[in-house]
Amino acid sequence: MKKSYEKIHFYNFGKFRLDATNRELLSDGKHVPLTQKSFELLEFLIQNRGRGLRKSEILNDIWTESFVEEANLAQHIYMVRKALKYNGDAEDYIETIPKFGYRFVGEVEEEFVDYPLALIKPPGENEHKPSTNGSHSLETVSTLGSASEHATFEPGASQPDSTSDKATPSPARSKRIGYFASIGIAFVIVLATLGLVYFTFFRNVSNDAKSRAIKSIAILPFSQIGNDTDEKLGLGIADTLISKLGNQSEISISPTSTIIKFIEKGTDNPIEIGEQLGVDAVLTGTIQREADTVRVNVQLISVSEKTPRWSEKFDAKFSNIFALQDRVSEQVAKSLALKLNEPTQITEANRYTENIEAYQAYTMGLFYWDKREEDSLPKAVENFEKAIAKDPKFATAYAHAADAYSLIGYYKFSGFPEEEAIEKAKELANKALELDPKSSEAFTALGIVALYEKNGGKALELYRKAVQLKPNNATARQRLAWMLTTNKTLDEAISEMRLAQKSDPISVNTNLNLTRLLRLNRQPDEALTFCNRALEMDPESDSANVFLAEIYEQNGEYEKAIRKLEEVIEKYPEELSSKLILSRIYAKKGEKKKARYLLEESLKDKDLGYYLYELATAYLFLGERTKAIETLKNAKEHTLIYYLHIKYDPNLDPIRKSSEYTEILKTAYSSLDPAYK
């Protein structure tokens, strides 16, 4: 007897069912679109669930017919994750094993079900046909059928019926119908053809033009294939490329300090990194060494399209990794400029160092310098000076050491005499310029020195020079933005700070600084966006949490603001600023008793000098206008932040039109650091 049933092989996990026989993924019985390769990848991961799979093992199993890059694998992993996330389950079933591969971590139940043989679809059929519920696969192909398939009958005309002789027209009538039907069919075909031409040609031209509009790129450290790996080579090629392309304005290039953060996190999916950075494209590559030959494969991946824009291969002799680094970076830079049709300026080869130990110390120095903290800057100096000792011609190490010293001196951090730190900064920055007259980082460091010396005009000039030399210098843009808050309008300062944030979008500092300026400019909704980004990167940041509370306050969401400030106060009981802001919010909410209690508790502290602004605003909303004005008049602060709050903060609106406020603003400006005037 002929077999009428077949066993269907299912893998069930969460809300999903993978039908291995019919090659289909279902979520609560509904078809989930997946490309053939993405389906095969998911199936392979599930079959090997719980086991860490090397990238090479996955590539060899799924892409047996061709050679592909690791970036292709990362893209398909991304698409599978996205399909699972948006079709019923937020759980991440696929774990990334940094610098190794992937593992399927979901609970899976295998099931074999008897199913009528006639209803089983041929393998791969679902990739090209819609499912029974009407949803379509991403790979569904539409074709223009023959004329007979598209023929229609005129309204009111009799429909053909093979069982009725009455339905058969006369020869003359058949001729007329055939004539007009032919014209109608021809007309339909012409319209369909024109529509198809327009759809495929003009839409593709439009999409192609749109897809070419790449204005921002992240260059990732190149990964290495094989056992003989050297991470410094992959990072070195990326760093050199960033240096070569970072000095032009047509394309924004994410700085090396940003990319290093992703290495620390172990993130290796180029699409995910591109989305986090908000860039249009990601440049990634692999390095494979066999004996004395090295092959480098490079891909430029469009983040929105999630597909490679172009790829190239380079072969070279592995006689010197730095010579190879320069050769590859130069060729990739030229190819990038050519492929993008952009007037990209490519600098001369700017080899940072040929000493691996010097480069390693330099990258560690960048890590500590990026923190900008009192205890981290001395560690940054230590590592930069170690790099200089290993390579006395390492210009960029001199420049960053100068910047670290300038910050130590400007902010009067303990452990180093400020004047000595400033002199050291000058010496190192000038040495950097002697080695590299176009060192953007050296001009950036000298800008802080100029501020310390109360020469704001010179600082402004130096920051503009630094940005001109390297448009993706987020540090210079950030400092330039603060200078513009008093030299120009707040809108112009915000525009510059946006560029700083765009250059380094995963920096807590750039996001928080933009948050502060947007809030003062009465743009709380947009400020909220950047504040949340900062909190994603550092949930424990007390500054970010206080900023968030003030944004809630500005939007009238007092309960949210209160809860957030109470969390901060619980962690930092001695933090007076949060208590006084909380007092102000309770006063606005009409709970004067709670507001006054918090204010009185804060007044017990003998040193309120730095918090007089918050104290004054608490008085103001408690109805004690005179005390508020007197407190502001007695404030001795001359910081830029204090002045900006006096000038722009909405909390002073109740007195902004008074003569007392005008006098307070004049006093705040006159006591401001002369460098900012």
Side-chain angles (χ1 to χ4, degrees):
M1 183 176 179
K2 187 177 180 181
K3 188 173 72 170
S4 59
Y5 284 84
E6 181 68 82
K7 286 194 178 293
I8 307 299
H9 189 184
F10 294 113
Y11 294 98
N12 301 317
F13 58 100
K15 296 182 178 181
F16 296 96
R17 167 173 276 198
L18 187 141
D19 183 344
T21 304
N22 289 308
R23 317 302 292 164
E24 187 172 19
L25 178 66
L26 304 169
S27 175
D28 289 334
K30 295 180 181 179
H31 173 72
V32 177
L34 276 181
T35 65
Q36 182 178 349
K37 285 299 179 187
S38 292
F39 181 89
E40 291 174 4
L41 172 61
L42 176 59
E43 183 181 32
F44 184 68
L45 290 170
I46 290 174
Q47 289 170 344
N48 293 276
R49 55 192 176 275
R51 183 167 73 85
L53 298 170
R54 288 184 180 276
K55 294 177 184 178
S56 57
E57 181 181 352
I58 301 172
L59 289 169
N60 291 335
D61 187 274
I62 306 300
W63 282 273
T64 55
E65 73 284 359
S66 61
F67 172 78
V68 296
E69 304 294 332
E70 285 186 12
N72 290 86
L73 172 59
Q75 289 167 56
H76 282 281
I77 289 286
Y78 171 85
M79 288 189 287
V80 171
R81 281 173 169 160
K82 190 172 183 179
L84 296 177
K85 179 180 179 182
Y86 288 103
N87 287 278
D89 208 331
E91 182 179 348
D92 191 355
Y93 290 99
I94 302 173
E95 176 190 357
T96 298
I97 307 173
K99 302 175 184 177
F100 183 84
Y102 302 95
R103 178 190 292 115
F104 191 90
V105 293
E107 292 291 329
V108 178
E109 176 190 344
E110 279 192 78
E111 183 180 2
F112 292 88
V113 178
D114 286 333
Y115 205 73
L117 193 61
L119 296 181
I120 298 177
K121 291 179 285 186
E125 184 179 338
N126 71 290
E127 275 89 44
H128 300 285
K129 293 185 180 180
S131 65
T132 54
N133 65 9
S135 60
H136 293 261
S137 165
L138 292 176
E139 290 190 329
T140 298
V141 179
S142 297
T143 58
L144 187 63
S146 65
S148 61
E149 291 176 315
H150 294 273
T152 58
F153 290 85
E154 295 176 314
S158 300
Q159 300 296 316
D161 187 350
S162 60
T163 63
S164 173
D165 292 333
K166 293 180 181 180
T168 306
S170 65
R173 188 164 178 259
S174 296
K175 188 175 182 180
R176 288 198 304 273
I177 291 174
Y179 175 78
F180 288 112
S182 298
I183 293 175
I185 291 168
F187 184 70
V188 168
I189 292 174
V190 169
L191 286 179
T193 304
L194 287 173
L196 187 62
V197 169
Y198 176 85
F199 185 80
T200 57
F201 179 78
F202 289 102
R203 189 195 69 161
N204 288 347
V205 168
S206 174
N207 286 346
D208 188 57
K210 184 177 180 181
S211 68
R212 287 182 182 277
I214 289 179
K215 296 297 180 184
S216 55
I217 299 174
I219 301 172
L220 306 186
F222 288 23
S223 59
Q224 293 186 253
I225 301 172
N227 297 322
D228 188 11
T229 62
D230 181 358
E231 292 180 12
K232 294 177 284 296
L233 174 60
L235 179 59
I237 291 176
D239 185 62
T240 305
L241 273 167
I242 290 168
S243 176
K244 285 179 178 292
L245 293 168
N247 72 320
Q248 43 75 48
S249 57
E250 287 80 9
I251 302 175
S252 173
I253 308 293
S254 298
T256 305
S257 57
T258 298
I259 303 307
I260 288 174
K261 294 169 187 172
F262 283 103
I263 298 175
E264 294 159 5
K265 293 179 182 178
T267 308
D268 64 352
N269 188 312
I271 302 296
E272 289 181 3
I273 293 174
E275 288 181 334
Q276 288 187 49
L277 292 174
V279 295
D280 299 324
V282 175
L283 187 75
T284 184
T286 59
I287 307 168
Q288 187 170 11
R289 180 181 177 185
E290 292 182 8
D292 63 342
T293 302
V294 176
R295 166 164 288 186
V296 178
N297 295 280
V298 186
Q299 282 190 326
L300 181 70
I301 302 170
S302 168
V303 175
S304 61
E305 298 166 4
K306 299 178 177 58
T307 54
R309 178 69 61 80
W310 64 272
S311 61
E312 289 192 17
K313 296 179 181 179
F314 305 94
D315 291 315
K317 294 291 182 181
F318 192 84
S319 55
N320 183 299
I321 66 169
F322 295 103
L324 171 67
Q325 172 181 303
D326 285 341
R327 179 173 179 269
V328 170
S329 60
E330 184 177 348
Q331 290 187 53
V332 172
K334 288 180 179 177
S335 299
L336 185 62
L338 177 64
K339 295 292 181 180
L340 292 176
N341 287 323
E342 294 282 359
T344 306
Q345 301 168 11
I346 302 171
T347 62
E348 295 298 321
N350 179 19
R351 186 180 298 132
Y352 283 0
T353 180
E354 293 191 357
N355 185 296
I356 290 180
E357 292 181 16
Y359 190 82
Q360 190 173 18
Y362 165 74
T363 54
M364 187 60 70
L366 276 181
F367 172 77
Y368 286 117
W369 169 81
D370 191 60
K371 292 178 179 292
R372 310 289 207 284
E373 295 171 355
E374 187 169 0
D375 60 344
S376 68
L377 285 171
K379 293 177 183 177
V381 166
E382 180 184 345
N383 279 281
F384 289 137
E385 289 184 337
K386 189 183 295 183
I388 292 167
K390 294 291 182 182
D391 183 356
K393 293 184 179 181
F394 197 171
T396 311
Y398 282 102
H400 275 100
D403 199 84
Y405 271 120
S406 70
L407 291 171
I408 291 171
Y410 182 78
Y411 289 111
K412 301 177 174 57
F413 286 154
S414 60
F416 212 99
E418 60 185 88
E419 291 184 1
E420 188 177 334
I422 293 297
E423 286 303 314
K424 191 71 175 174
K426 280 184 186 178
E427 175 192 335
L428 290 166
N430 287 325
K431 180 63 177 177
L433 289 172
E434 179 185 322
L435 293 166
D436 179 8
K438 294 183 178 181
S439 172
S440 174
E441 292 79 9
F443 286 113
T444 305
L446 289 173
I448 288 285
V449 172
L451 280 178
Y452 178 84
E453 295 173 344
K454 313 300 182 188
N455 192 339
K458 185 178 180 181
L460 194 62
E461 180 185 338
L462 287 163
Y463 291 143
R464 289 192 188 280
K465 180 72 172 176
V467 167
Q468 180 186 0
L469 288 167
K470 184 179 282 189
N472 74 330
N473 186 334
T475 302
R477 286 202 179 278
Q478 218 176 151
R479 295 173 188 174
L480 176 58
W482 285 119
M483 296 296 299
L484 294 177
T485 56
T486 55
N487 285 273
K488 300 288 183 180
T489 66
L490 198 57
D491 283 335
E492 288 177 272
I494 288 172
S495 294
E496 192 62 44
M497 194 65 81
R498 286 184 193 278
L499 292 172
Q501 191 277 336
K502 186 178 179 181
S503 294
D504 194 0
I506 62 169
S507 164
V508 174
N509 282 334
T510 56
N511 282 285
L512 283 185
N513 286 333
L514 183 53
T515 296
R516 190 196 292 269
L517 291 183
L518 287 168
R519 192 190 74 78
L520 289 176
N521 205 40
R522 302 171 191 254
Q523 296 172 253
D525 292 338
E526 193 173 2
L528 181 62
T529 298
F530 293 101
C531 188
N532 282 331
R533 287 183 187 177
L535 282 167
E536 285 175 9
M537 292 174 273
D538 186 5
E540 301 302 315
S541 168
D542 56 328
S543 296
N545 281 289
V546 172
F547 284 1
L548 181 59
E550 289 187 292
I551 292 169
Y552 287 147
E553 174 194 10
Q554 197 168 351
N555 279 330
E557 299 176 278
Y558 297 141
E559 289 299 332
K560 283 186 177 181
I562 288 169
R563 285 197 298 272
K564 182 55 62 178
L565 287 169
E566 285 176 343
E567 290 174 10
V568 175
I569 292 169
E570 186 178 354
K571 289 181 182 177
Y572 309 100
E574 305 303 318
E575 218 278 296
L576 294 179
S577 175
S578 298
K579 289 182 181 178
L580 290 168
I581 295 171
L582 184 56
S583 171
R584 180 178 75 211
I585 294 172
Y586 272 126
K588 287 182 180 182
K589 196 168 178 282
E591 298 185 41
K592 300 291 179 73
K593 188 175 180 180
K594 288 183 179 178
R596 196 166 295 282
Y597 171 78
L598 284 164
L599 189 145
E600 295 298 331
E601 282 292 306
S602 300
L603 286 173
K604 291 178 182 178
D605 194 291
K606 294 180 180 179
D607 186 17
L608 274 173
Y610 189 73
Y611 307 105
L612 290 182
Y613 179 82
E614 288 83 0
L615 176 62
T617 56
Y619 276 135
L620 188 58
F621 287 95
L622 275 167
E624 299 184 40
R625 185 175 185 276
T626 302
K627 278 189 176 181
I629 290 173
E630 286 303 313
T631 302
L632 290 173
K633 284 182 178 179
N634 292 330
K636 303 299 182 184
E637 281 194 78
H638 59 271
T639 64
L640 176 62
I641 297 300
Y642 175 76
Y643 167 73
L644 292 176
H645 276 74
I646 294 293
K647 188 173 182 180
Y648 296 109
D649 190 6
N651 285 307
L652 291 186
D653 285 354
I655 62 169
R656 198 170 296 281
K657 294 182 180 179
S658 67
S659 57
E660 293 100 332
Y661 168 79
T662 303
E663 195 62 35
I664 290 167
L665 182 60
K666 285 181 180 177
T667 303
Y669 183 77
S670 63
S671 62
L672 184 65
D673 189 329
Y676 286 101
K677 295 180 182 178

